[in-house]
């Protein structure tokens, strides 16, 4: 059976966690394929809010297996905290949670290296979540990393020590002051590793292969967003993994010809957290209103998210590189009450009008060209049927659908599971 993918089309935080949770009842397996605890995926149901960082968003459904794939990087300390929270809520994850032996581990010194690198960059910093993502993927591609499967070897602590020593030398090389107590960090780390070792480690590509052969349905859950992709994002202001569809092939071992639907999730406007270019960013009352109504604060770091109008040039690009087959529009409710709305339909690029995403979208190169839409007043948050949504919202959706030439199959009108309208 084909594997469906669900991924973010903007700069992350599109609402992936919510929709994976909504769709989980249709799948046997939910599998994360990249990223790590830089992600924060929020689920709201039965009056409770849950934020997941590494654990797939299908974990609250007893029927589904949840796989942390080989492309993911795991911080045992954060992982343990996530497990503790699940335990508090009586979620029985022991049978349903599976971890790839090939997933790489984030060490305490990876986090310190992240901090040293960002501090050394000064004003040019990426705005990283400081979870050690970049340094861990560097060790992976540099062929120095420690993997989950290594924890089953007797001498893994020797390997750990050698790598941590090297990291300490690297931290010293950065000419910045980072305060840390490695002994304390290591006590916490080794303790968390024991918890991790009590879970089920598997050869995940074989598991995925057999599951497909047996007709089981699989949904691959992306983290971050397409514009944060290491190759196709706004480099260097990106994360260190392939967040796009190809990442699901390498991050789980899915053959490209086994991919079914690609669900592309986008907010009805745009947000970004951290540094980097953002052509449609707003610095006025409209932006402040989006931030306030949309509660635009990072689920991982609590940082304020930058807000702006929907960027169709960037969205089209993301649909292209991912081969999106179905679109899902999130947070439509946040746009209620705006007199008029804007959508960026082209860029003015060095004096010329263009409709593709160029190499450099920094403000000195690019300014957005907008199409205006009439707003609507109605509160959408209690609406359940697509026939009840305001005409102005229908016009907005129809326009996007036509421009992108991909059906918008779902409109989200609030954070709760139930506030989801299928179309
Ligand atoms: P993810 O990283 O893509 O899973 O998204 P986040 O969880 O980081 O951010 C999405 C935020 O928007 C969370 O606080 C969600 O609870 C919330 N959210 C999701 N969908 C909607 C929606 O349709 N309307 C509103 N108002 N909030 C939503
Ligand atoms: P989810 O899965 C939004 C951003 C950071 C920073 C850049 C690099 O919740 O959508 P990193 O920690 O990877 O070194 O940070 O990427 N970033 C995210 N922004 N949502 C995320 O994940 C993000 N994960 C990383 O803010 O700009
Ligand atoms: Mg998030």
């Amino acid at each position: 059976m084909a594997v469906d993918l669900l991924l973010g089309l903007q700069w992350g935080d599109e609402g992936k966690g919510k929709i994976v949770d909504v769709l989980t009842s249709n799948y046997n397996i939910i599998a994360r394929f990249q990223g790590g605890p830089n992600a924060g995926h929020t689920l709201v149901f039965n009056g409770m809010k849950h934020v997941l960082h590494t654990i797939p968003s299908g974990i609250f459904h007893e029927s589904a297996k949840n796989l942390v794939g080989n492309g993911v990087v795991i911080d045992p300390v954060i992982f343990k905290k996530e497990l503790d929270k699940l335990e508090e809520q009586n979620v029985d994850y022991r049978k349903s949670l599976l971890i790839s032996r090939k997933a790489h581990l984030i060490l305490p010194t990876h986090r310190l290296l992240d901090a040293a690198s960002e501090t050394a960059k000064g004003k040019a910093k990426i705005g990283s979540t400081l979870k050690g993502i970049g340094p861990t993927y560097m060790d992976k591609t540099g062929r120095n990393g420690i993997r989950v499967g290594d924890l089953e070897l007797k001498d893994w602590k020797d390997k750990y020590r050698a790598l941590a020593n090297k990291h300490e030398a690297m931290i010293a090389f950065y000419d910045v002051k980072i305060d840390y107590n490695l002994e304390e960090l290591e006590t916490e780390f080794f303790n968390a590793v024991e918890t991790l070792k009590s879970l089920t480690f598997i050869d995940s590509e074989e598991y995925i292969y057999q599951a497909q052969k047996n007709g089981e349905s699989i949904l691959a859950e992306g983290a971050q967003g397409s514009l944060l992709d290491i190759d196709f994002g706004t480099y260097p202001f990106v994360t260190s993994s392939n967040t796009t569809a190809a990442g699901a092939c390498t991050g789980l071992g899915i053959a490209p010809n086994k991919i079914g639907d690609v669900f592309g999730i986008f907010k009805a406007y745009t947000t970004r957290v951290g540094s980097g270019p953002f052509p449609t960013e707003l610095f006025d009352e409209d932006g402040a209103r989006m931030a306030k109504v949309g509660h635009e604060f990072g689920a991982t770091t609590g940082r304020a998210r930058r807000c702006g109008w929907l960027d169709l040039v960037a969205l089209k690009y993301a649909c292209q590189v991912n081969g999106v087959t179905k679109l899902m529009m999130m947070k439509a409710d946040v746009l209620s009450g705006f007199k008029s709305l804007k959508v960026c339909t082209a860029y003015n690029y060095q004096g010329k009008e263009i409709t593709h995403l160029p190499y450099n979208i920094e403000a000195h190169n690019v300014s957005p060209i907008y199409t205006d839409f009439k707003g609507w007043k109605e509160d959408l948050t209690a609406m359940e049927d697509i026939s009840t949504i305001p005409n102005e919202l229908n016009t907005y959706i129809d326009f996007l659908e036509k421009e992108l030439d991909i059906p918008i199959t779902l409109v989200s009108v609030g954070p709760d599971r139930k506030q989801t309208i299928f179309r």
Side-chain angles (χ1 to χ4, degrees):
M1 203 166 169
V3 178
D4 294 336
L5 316 184
L6 182 145
L7 30 86
L9 299 178
Q10 295 160 320
W11 279 290
D13 302 330
E14 296 88 351
K16 300 175 289 295
K18 165 177 168 167
I19 298 303
V20 170
D21 172 60
V22 166
L23 298 181
T24 295
S25 48
N26 302 337
Y27 293 92
N28 300 116
I29 301 168
I30 308 297
R32 267 282 298 270
F33 59 89
Q34 47 66 235
N38 49 348
H41 294 180
T42 314
L43 287 66
V44 179
F45 54 86
N46 300 340
M48 293 271 286
K49 176 175 146 176
H50 312 267
V51 181
L52 297 166
H53 300 286
T54 328
I55 293 175
S57 301
I59 198 71
F60 293 98
H61 295 252
E62 272 176 27
S63 56
K65 296 276 189 224
N66 283 267
L67 169 66
V68 180
N70 59 278
V72 176
V73 291
I74 300 174
D75 183 333
V77 176
I78 295 176
F79 205 83
K80 181 176 183 316
K81 285 185 186 150
E82 287 190 67
L83 295 176
D84 290 346
K85 280 217 176 112
L86 291 178
E87 247 160 52
E88 275 169 28
Q89 277 139 37
N90 297 320
V91 177
D92 183 13
Y93 56 79
R94 292 217 168 257
K95 268 190 246 139
S96 62
L97 187 58
L98 307 169
I99 301 172
S100 171
R101 287 200 172 87
K102 292 197 172 83
H104 279 246
L105 292 179
I106 301 176
L107 311 186
T109 43
H110 282 131
R111 268 185 276 139
L112 298 172
L113 274 171
D114 219 355
S117 165
E118 282 284 82
T119 310
K121 281 194 161 108
K123 275 193 184 150
K125 72 175 183 185
I126 307 294
S128 165
T129 61
L130 301 178
K131 304 294 177 198
I133 304 295
T136 306
Y137 279 115
M138 277 164 72
D139 270 339
K140 174 178 177 174
T141 51
R143 294 156 297 177
N144 299 310
I146 298 183
R147 300 189 288 177
V148 165
D150 291 335
L151 301 176
E152 295 170 326
L153 306 175
K154 271 201 194 107
D155 66 344
W156 84 269
K157 281 196 179 165
D158 297 340
K159 208 171 160 188
Y160 167 84
R161 189 77 275 143
L163 190 55
N165 286 349
K166 184 173 140 194
H167 289 162
E168 281 214 282
M170 288 163 72
I171 293 162
F173 177 78
Y174 283 102
D175 198 15
V176 294
K177 196 171 151 31
I178 301 284
D179 288 325
Y180 64 91
N181 180 333
L182 190 55
E183 223 171 283
E184 270 178 27
L185 294 174
E186 285 183 342
T187 304
E188 192 186 30
F189 176 75
F190 288 126
N191 178 23
V193 163
E194 288 313 309
T195 303
L196 192 63
K197 281 168 78 174
S198 71
L199 299 176
T200 309
F201 298 167
I202 60 166
D203 297 333
S204 54
E205 62 279 31
E206 175 65 13
Y207 174 81
I208 288 277
Y209 176 75
Q210 293 298 344
Q212 286 176 83
K213 236 174 101 178
N214 295 334
E216 289 188 59
S217 51
I218 304 171
L219 178 66
E221 173 180 5
Q224 289 79 56
S226 302
L227 302 175
L228 289 170
D229 182 276
I230 184 72
D231 283 284
F232 300 109
T234 46
Y235 191 91
F237 301 102
V238 294
T239 190
S240 298
S241 65
N242 281 117
T243 59
T244 44
C249 296
T250 57
L252 288 169
I254 297 165
N257 62 344
K258 295 293 188 304
I259 292 176
D261 266 320
V262 180
F263 303 120
I265 311 258
F266 68 101
K267 277 181 189 164
Y269 49 101
T270 310
T271 65
R272 168 162 213 174
V273 60
S275 326
F278 180 177
T280 61
E281 183 169 10
L282 290 168
F283 302 94
D284 59 6
E285 273 174 28
D286 285 338
R289 185 188 167 107
M290 286 171 191
K292 189 163 175 243
V293 180
H295 301 289
E296 293 298 355
F297 293 94
T300 295
T301 59
R303 290 178 294 174
R305 295 177 185 143
R306 301 153 64 192
C307 297
W309 297 118
L310 189 64
D311 184 341
L312 211 52
V313 178
L315 199 54
K316 221 178 248 181
Y317 173 79
C319 288
Q320 269 170 231
V321 294
N322 288 304
V324 171
T325 60
K326 290 184 176 129
L327 285 162
M328 297 174 172
M329 187 169 97
M330 309 300 291
K331 302 190 100 161
D333 55 299
V334 175
L335 294 185
S336 290
F338 280 87
K339 250 199 183 131
S340 67
L341 305 170
K342 289 182 192 298
V343 172
C344 166
T345 42
Y347 289 155
N348 182 329
Y349 178 71
Q350 299 175 346
K352 245 176 54 194
E353 187 171 320
I354 61 165
T355 54
H356 74 277
L357 199 81
Y359 180 71
N360 183 318
I361 60 163
E362 294 285 348
H364 62 268
N365 264 331
V366 159
S367 57
I369 299 171
Y370 288 114
T371 301
D372 290 327
F373 291 84
K374 210 169 155 230
W376 58 89
K377 285 203 191 82
E378 292 87 336
D379 175 6
L380 310 179
T381 54
M383 293 188 181
E384 292 176 352
D385 194 289
I386 201 70
S387 64
T388 59
I389 69 168
N391 288 337
E392 294 84 354
L393 174 56
N394 257 324
T395 305
Y396 190 77
I397 293 172
D398 287 346
F399 176 80
L400 301 179
E401 201 167 50
K402 194 158 159 259
E403 286 292 309
L404 297 166
D405 199 19
I406 302 168
I408 297 178
T409 58
L410 181 156
V411 179
S412 177
V413 292
D416 196 279
R417 243 184 212 171
K418 289 190 187 139
Q419 291 170 304
T420 310
I421 307 178
F422 288 92
R423 194 169 169 271

